[in-house]
Amino acid sequence: MKNWKFKNISLTLFSLIPSSIVNSFKTFSEPFQNNFENKVIENSRISKNQKIVIIRYLSIVFVLPFLLTQLLDIIIFGPLVDFLWSEQHLEVFINEDQEKEAFEELRLYKTRYYLNSLNQNTNIKLGESKSIFNQEDFEEKIREKAFEITEKYKNESKGSTKNILSDIFYFTVTVSLIIRSRQQMELVRFSLLRFIGNLSDAGKAFFLILITNLLVGFHSPHGWEVFLELVLKHFGLPENRDFIFTFIATIPVLLDTLIKYWVFSYLNSIAPSTVVTYKNMNE
């Protein structure tokens, strides 16, 4: 009976000790255990094997489909699009922006050619300018330039069509590989969380500030504008300014709200010191 009471008192006293002190004591006492060296070697071997598995997995999921897509683009997608474009006599321009750019480029060429012709002889009078301007040469040069611009935008339209086919194939293969290898993806997620957890508060705050400034910072609208223009041009879509400005005016604001909500509701509960460092660095 006395032993039972003594055990209860010991357990009660032990439960009153903060868990952080208990964990620190365990960490401090680990090097004095008999199998400590074997555990270190085993953990090092497991960590090395995990890194090899992660690198191999990421290569298979992302790099291999990319290389396969490039190969199919050369062997299948490219020749198929070229054949359809030549046989079906498809339109040169696949959107209005391309057509406007082509006409503007041809108009500038006409103006530049005419001015260069007039400047060939600086001593002539204005009334004699027609004597040095050869209409036939002018029309021939314009036809050559028009053909050059047509080929340029035809190839651009072909490239946009090839990009759509290649991206659909790449996205399908990559998503299929990720779905069929959830265990490896879980290992990647666990390793990423462990890497973030091992960072100092200043390191976590640095990456948080970097991400927020890229997405919703003062200079982010310019980055969003360039990114959207590249995406629209990649797929051969018209670069609609109203769509771009509407996107920039709404999406970054929504992302900023979600990030702030995550910081103050989730991160503040699991890592309050990181939130304090984040606030100080932002100030």
Side-chain angles (χ1 to χ4, degrees):
M1 192 72 176
K2 291 180 180 181
N3 292 333
W4 177 78
K5 290 182 179 180
F6 178 76
K7 291 180 179 179
N8 283 344
I9 293 172
S10 300
L11 291 173
T12 303
L13 292 175
F14 185 76
S15 63
L16 294 176
I17 301 175
S19 59
S20 59
I21 297 177
V22 175
N23 293 332
S24 299
F25 177 77
K26 289 181 179 179
T27 304
F28 177 76
S29 62
E30 281 182 355
F32 300 99
Q33 297 177 2
N34 295 330
N35 297 328
F36 175 72
E37 293 183 358
N38 295 332
K39 289 182 179 179
V40 171
I41 296 174
E42 182 67 18
N43 291 334
S44 177
R45 186 179 63 83
I46 293 174
S47 178
K48 184 178 180 180
N49 291 336
Q50 287 180 348
K51 292 178 181 178
I52 295 174
V53 171
I54 291 173
I55 294 174
R56 184 184 303 167
Y57 171 72
L58 294 177
S59 300
I60 293 175
V61 170
F62 296 105
V63 179
L64 185 60
F66 173 77
L67 296 177
L68 184 59
T69 302
Q70 297 300 314
L71 181 62
L72 291 179
D73 193 17
I74 297 174
I75 298 176
I76 298 178
F77 298 146
L80 178 62
V81 171
D82 292 336
F83 174 77
L84 292 176
W85 223 274
S86 60
E87 291 295 325
Q88 300 297 327
H89 302 289
L90 300 179
E91 293 291 335
V92 175
F93 309 106
I94 57 177
N95 59 64
E96 295 182 357
D97 289 345
Q98 282 186 333
E99 191 172 1
K100 291 178 181 179
E101 291 176 3
F103 289 156
E104 181 65 18
E105 187 175 347
L106 185 60
R107 186 187 67 81
L108 290 175
Y109 179 80
K110 287 181 179 180
T111 304
R112 189 180 296 112
Y113 182 86
Y114 185 74
L115 292 175
N116 290 335
S117 298
L118 293 179
N119 290 331
Q120 286 180 358
N121 191 346
T122 57
N123 296 323
I124 63 170
K125 296 179 181 180
L126 183 60
E128 299 174 350
S129 60
K130 294 182 180 179
S131 62
I132 66 166
F133 183 77
N134 191 318
Q135 185 66 28
E136 294 181 359
D137 291 344
F138 176 73
E139 293 178 356
E140 181 64 24
K141 291 292 184 181
I142 295 303
R143 281 194 294 269
E144 292 177 0
K145 187 63 178 179
F147 178 78
E148 180 184 335
I149 293 175
T150 301
E151 289 298 315
K152 171 186 172 182
Y153 284 94
K154 183 187 293 185
N155 292 331
E156 188 175 306
S157 300
K158 290 180 182 179
S160 299
T161 307
K162 295 174 186 177
N163 290 337
I164 294 174
L165 296 175
S166 300
D167 291 346
I168 291 175
F169 176 80
Y170 177 80
F171 179 78
T172 304
V173 174
T174 302
V175 172
S176 301
L177 291 174
I178 292 175
I179 293 175
R180 297 181 62 179
S181 56
R182 294 180 180 178
Q183 185 176 358
Q184 290 84 347
M185 181 56 68
E186 186 65 23
L187 177 61
V188 173
R189 188 183 72 85
F190 173 76
S191 300
L192 181 61
L193 292 176
R194 185 175 61 181
F195 170 76
I196 296 174
N198 291 333
L199 291 174
S200 62
D201 292 334
K204 295 175 185 175
F206 168 78
F207 281 107
L208 187 59
I209 292 173
L210 178 63
I211 294 173
T212 53
N213 284 341
L214 285 175
L215 296 179
V216 297
F218 178 74
H219 299 287
S220 63
H222 305 289
W224 280 109
E225 185 176 354
V226 173
F227 173 75
L228 291 173
E229 288 178 354
L230 290 175
V231 171
L232 293 175
K233 190 173 183 179
H234 178 78
F235 293 111
L237 299 174
E239 298 176 15
N240 192 313
R241 308 305 296 176
D242 294 334
F243 165 76
I244 292 176
F245 291 146
T246 303
F247 185 96
I248 294 174
T250 54
I251 299 302
V253 175
L254 178 61
L255 290 176
D256 184 40
T257 305
L258 293 175
I259 290 173
K260 288 180 179 178
Y261 176 79
W262 176 78
V263 168
F264 292 105
S265 65
Y266 177 73
L267 188 62
N268 196 34
S269 61
I270 63 172
S273 58
T274 302
V275 176
V276 173
T277 306
Y278 169 71
K279 292 180 180 179
N280 293 333
M281 291 179 68
N282 257 336
E283 294 175 357

Short mmCIF file of all heavy atoms in Angstrom, two decimals, residues 179-201:
data_model
loop_
_atom_site.label_atom_id
_atom_site.label_comp_id
_atom_site.label_asym_id
_atom_site.label_seq_id
_atom_site.Cartn_x
_atom_site.Cartn_y
_atom_site.Cartn_z
N ILE A 179 -0.50 10.63 -58.64
CA ILE A 179 -1.61 9.89 -58.05
C ILE A 179 -1.21 8.44 -57.76
O ILE A 179 -1.59 7.87 -56.73
CB ILE A 179 -2.83 9.94 -58.99
CG1 ILE A 179 -3.37 11.38 -59.07
CG2 ILE A 179 -3.93 9.00 -58.51
CD1 ILE A 179 -4.49 11.56 -60.06
N ARG A 180 -0.42 7.85 -58.63
CA ARG A 180 -0.04 6.45 -58.47
C ARG A 180 1.14 6.25 -57.51
O ARG A 180 1.53 5.12 -57.27
CB ARG A 180 0.30 5.86 -59.84
CG ARG A 180 -0.87 5.85 -60.81
CD ARG A 180 -0.50 5.24 -62.14
NE ARG A 180 -0.11 3.84 -62.00
CZ ARG A 180 0.24 3.06 -63.03
NH1 ARG A 180 0.26 3.57 -64.25
NH2 ARG A 180 0.59 1.81 -62.83
N SER A 181 1.69 7.33 -57.00
CA SER A 181 2.84 7.21 -56.08
C SER A 181 2.63 8.12 -54.87
O SER A 181 3.42 9.01 -54.61
CB SER A 181 4.14 7.55 -56.79
OG SER A 181 4.06 8.85 -57.36
N ARG A 182 1.54 7.90 -54.17
CA ARG A 182 1.21 8.75 -53.03
C ARG A 182 2.18 8.56 -51.87
O ARG A 182 2.45 9.49 -51.11
CB ARG A 182 -0.21 8.44 -52.57
CG ARG A 182 -1.28 8.82 -53.59
CD ARG A 182 -2.67 8.49 -53.09
NE ARG A 182 -3.68 8.85 -54.08
CZ ARG A 182 -4.98 8.63 -53.91
NH1 ARG A 182 -5.42 8.05 -52.79
NH2 ARG A 182 -5.84 8.98 -54.84
N GLN A 183 2.72 7.35 -51.73
CA GLN A 183 3.64 7.08 -50.64
C GLN A 183 4.92 7.91 -50.79
O GLN A 183 5.41 8.52 -49.83
CB GLN A 183 3.97 5.59 -50.58
CG GLN A 183 4.84 5.21 -49.37
CD GLN A 183 5.07 3.71 -49.30
OE1 GLN A 183 4.56 2.96 -50.13
NE2 GLN A 183 5.82 3.27 -48.32
N GLN A 184 5.47 7.95 -51.99
CA GLN A 184 6.66 8.76 -52.23
C GLN A 184 6.37 10.26 -52.08
O GLN A 184 7.20 11.00 -51.57
CB GLN A 184 7.22 8.48 -53.63
CG GLN A 184 7.86 7.11 -53.80
CD GLN A 184 6.84 6.03 -54.12
OE1 GLN A 184 5.63 6.25 -53.99
NE2 GLN A 184 7.32 4.89 -54.56
N MET A 185 5.19 10.68 -52.52
CA MET A 185 4.82 12.08 -52.36
C MET A 185 4.67 12.45 -50.89
O MET A 185 5.02 13.56 -50.48
CB MET A 185 3.52 12.36 -53.12
CG MET A 185 3.06 13.82 -53.03
SD MET A 185 4.30 15.02 -53.59
CE MET A 185 4.37 14.65 -55.34
N GLU A 186 4.19 11.53 -50.10
CA GLU A 186 4.09 11.77 -48.66
C GLU A 186 5.47 11.91 -48.04
O GLU A 186 5.69 12.72 -47.12
CB GLU A 186 3.32 10.62 -47.99
CG GLU A 186 3.03 10.82 -46.52
CD GLU A 186 2.09 11.99 -46.25
OE1 GLU A 186 1.34 12.36 -47.17
OE2 GLU A 186 2.13 12.52 -45.13
N LEU A 187 6.42 11.14 -48.53
CA LEU A 187 7.81 11.25 -48.05
C LEU A 187 8.39 12.62 -48.41
O LEU A 187 9.09 13.23 -47.59
CB LEU A 187 8.66 10.13 -48.66
CG LEU A 187 10.15 10.14 -48.30
CD1 LEU A 187 10.35 9.99 -46.79
CD2 LEU A 187 10.88 9.03 -49.05
N VAL A 188 8.10 13.10 -49.62
CA VAL A 188 8.57 14.42 -50.02
C VAL A 188 7.95 15.50 -49.14
O VAL A 188 8.64 16.43 -48.69
CB VAL A 188 8.23 14.68 -51.50
CG1 VAL A 188 8.56 16.12 -51.89
CG2 VAL A 188 8.98 13.72 -52.39
N ARG A 189 6.67 15.37 -48.87
CA ARG A 189 6.00 16.35 -48.01
C ARG A 189 6.56 16.34 -46.60
O ARG A 189 6.81 17.39 -45.99
CB ARG A 189 4.50 16.06 -47.97
CG ARG A 189 3.67 17.13 -47.27
CD ARG A 189 2.21 16.71 -47.22
NE ARG A 189 2.02 15.63 -46.27
CZ ARG A 189 1.83 15.81 -44.96
NH1 ARG A 189 1.82 17.04 -44.44
NH2 ARG A 189 1.66 14.79 -44.16
N PHE A 190 6.81 15.14 -46.06
CA PHE A 190 7.37 15.02 -44.72
C PHE A 190 8.78 15.62 -44.66
O PHE A 190 9.13 16.33 -43.70
CB PHE A 190 7.41 13.54 -44.31
CG PHE A 190 8.13 13.28 -43.01
CD1 PHE A 190 7.54 13.58 -41.80
CD2 PHE A 190 9.42 12.75 -43.03
CE1 PHE A 190 8.21 13.34 -40.61
CE2 PHE A 190 10.10 12.52 -41.85
CZ PHE A 190 9.50 12.82 -40.63
N SER A 191 9.58 15.37 -45.68
CA SER A 191 10.94 15.92 -45.71
C SER A 191 10.93 17.43 -45.81
O SER A 191 11.74 18.13 -45.19
CB SER A 191 11.72 15.31 -46.88
OG SER A 191 11.82 13.91 -46.76
N LEU A 192 9.99 17.96 -46.59
CA LEU A 192 9.89 19.42 -46.72
C LEU A 192 9.47 20.06 -45.40
O LEU A 192 10.03 21.08 -44.99
CB LEU A 192 8.88 19.76 -47.82
CG LEU A 192 8.65 21.25 -48.10
CD1 LEU A 192 9.95 21.91 -48.55
CD2 LEU A 192 7.56 21.44 -49.15
N LEU A 193 8.50 19.44 -44.72
CA LEU A 193 8.07 19.97 -43.43
C LEU A 193 9.18 19.88 -42.40
O LEU A 193 9.34 20.78 -41.56
CB LEU A 193 6.83 19.21 -42.94
CG LEU A 193 5.54 19.41 -43.74
CD1 LEU A 193 4.44 18.54 -43.21
CD2 LEU A 193 5.12 20.88 -43.72
N ARG A 194 9.95 18.81 -42.45
CA ARG A 194 11.07 18.67 -41.51
C ARG A 194 12.14 19.72 -41.79
O ARG A 194 12.72 20.28 -40.85
CB ARG A 194 11.67 17.26 -41.62
CG ARG A 194 12.77 16.98 -40.59
CD ARG A 194 13.23 15.54 -40.67
NE ARG A 194 13.77 15.23 -42.00
CZ ARG A 194 14.22 14.02 -42.35
NH1 ARG A 194 14.15 13.02 -41.49
NH2 ARG A 194 14.71 13.83 -43.56
N PHE A 195 12.39 20.01 -43.08
CA PHE A 195 13.36 21.05 -43.42
C PHE A 195 12.91 22.41 -42.92
O PHE A 195 13.70 23.18 -42.35
CB PHE A 195 13.55 21.08 -44.94
CG PHE A 195 14.34 22.26 -45.44
CD1 PHE A 195 15.71 22.32 -45.29
CD2 PHE A 195 13.68 23.34 -46.04
CE1 PHE A 195 16.43 23.42 -45.73
CE2 PHE A 195 14.40 24.43 -46.49
CZ PHE A 195 15.77 24.48 -46.34
N ILE A 196 11.63 22.71 -43.10
CA ILE A 196 11.10 23.99 -42.62
C ILE A 196 11.13 24.05 -41.10
O ILE A 196 11.45 25.09 -40.51
CB ILE A 196 9.66 24.20 -43.15
CG1 ILE A 196 9.68 24.30 -44.68
CG2 ILE A 196 9.04 25.45 -42.55
CD1 ILE A 196 8.30 24.38 -45.30
N GLY A 197 10.82 22.92 -40.46
CA GLY A 197 10.83 22.89 -39.00
C GLY A 197 12.22 23.09 -38.42
O GLY A 197 12.35 23.61 -37.30
N ASN A 198 13.25 22.67 -39.14
CA ASN A 198 14.62 22.82 -38.64
C ASN A 198 15.18 24.23 -38.83
O ASN A 198 16.25 24.54 -38.31
CB ASN A 198 15.55 21.81 -39.33
CG ASN A 198 15.25 20.37 -38.90
OD1 ASN A 198 14.76 20.13 -37.80
ND2 ASN A 198 15.54 19.43 -39.77
N LEU A 199 14.47 25.05 -39.60
CA LEU A 199 14.93 26.41 -39.80
C LEU A 199 14.75 27.24 -38.53
O LEU A 199 13.87 26.96 -37.71
CB LEU A 199 14.15 27.08 -40.94
CG LEU A 199 14.40 26.56 -42.36
CD1 LEU A 199 13.44 27.24 -43.34
CD2 LEU A 199 15.84 26.79 -42.79
N SER A 200 15.56 28.26 -38.39
CA SER A 200 15.41 29.19 -37.27
C SER A 200 14.19 30.07 -37.51
O SER A 200 13.63 30.11 -38.61
CB SER A 200 16.66 30.04 -37.11
OG SER A 200 16.88 30.84 -38.27
N ASP A 201 13.78 30.80 -36.48
CA ASP A 201 12.64 31.71 -36.63
C ASP A 201 12.91 32.77 -37.69
O ASP A 201 12.03 33.14 -38.46
CB ASP A 201 12.32 32.37 -35.28
CG ASP A 201 11.79 31.36 -34.27
OD1 ASP A 201 11.21 30.35 -34.70
OD2 ASP A 201 11.98 31.59 -33.06
#
